[in-house]
Amino acid sequence: MSRTGRSPGSEGVMGEAVMTTRQQADGTIVVEVRGSLDAATVDAMRAALLDTLHRDRPGLLIVDLTFVTFMDSMGIGTLVAGYEAARDIGARFVLRNPSEFVHRQLRITGLTELFGLPQGSSSTRTYTV
């Protein structure tokens, strides 16, 4: 998991999650998350998302969830915090490729609409909020 204060293009490990952050040529920041988003990992992810948004002020932040294998309510709260922080600075917050499990968790909690996700099953798509 990327630790706070690290620049885009960094990678860090925390608990059972790895988060890689990179900046594209157009200024878009892509955060790829692998593993579990739960009590053991979300504090560092939340800090990294918020620090990246406030430090780099990207117009677009993409969170790639392709390889997220588990997410509990704390992981959902971290995505909501990222969405709200992006909204506060006028940035777009995009979920890319939420796994079937992640999509189901967001649907069960009633957050698919907030994240611009369809109510049905997800497939390999990018969703913008």
Side-chain angles (χ1 to χ4, degrees), residues 7-11 20-23:
S7 61
S10 62
E11 181 177 304
T20 304
T21 304
R22 63 184 162 81
Q23 187 167 15

Side-chain angles (χ1 to χ4, degrees), residues 37-102:
L37 292 179
D38 56 23
T41 61
V42 294
D43 288 342
M45 181 175 171
R46 183 184 310 250
L49 286 174
L50 300 181
D51 288 350
T52 298
L53 285 164
H54 290 108
R55 181 187 61 241
D56 300 324
R57 303 187 75 75
L60 173 60
L61 185 127
I62 299 170
V63 180
D64 190 322
L65 303 171
T66 303
F67 299 105
V68 172
T69 56
F70 177 80
M71 181 175 72
D72 65 10
S73 61
M74 294 186 76
I76 293 168
T78 297
L79 293 177
V80 171
Y83 165 82
E84 290 174 345
R87 182 193 61 204
D88 290 348
I89 66 164
R92 288 178 38 227
F93 187 84
V94 173
L95 299 183
R96 178 186 288 167
N97 300 330
S99 68
E100 198 65 40
F101 180 82
V102 170

Side-chain angles (χ1 to χ4, degrees), residues 21-36:
T21 304
R22 63 184 162 81
Q23 187 167 15
Q24 298 181 160
D26 66 358
T28 297
I29 300 214
V30 178
V31 178
E32 181 180 277
V33 185
R34 294 173 175 263
S36 299

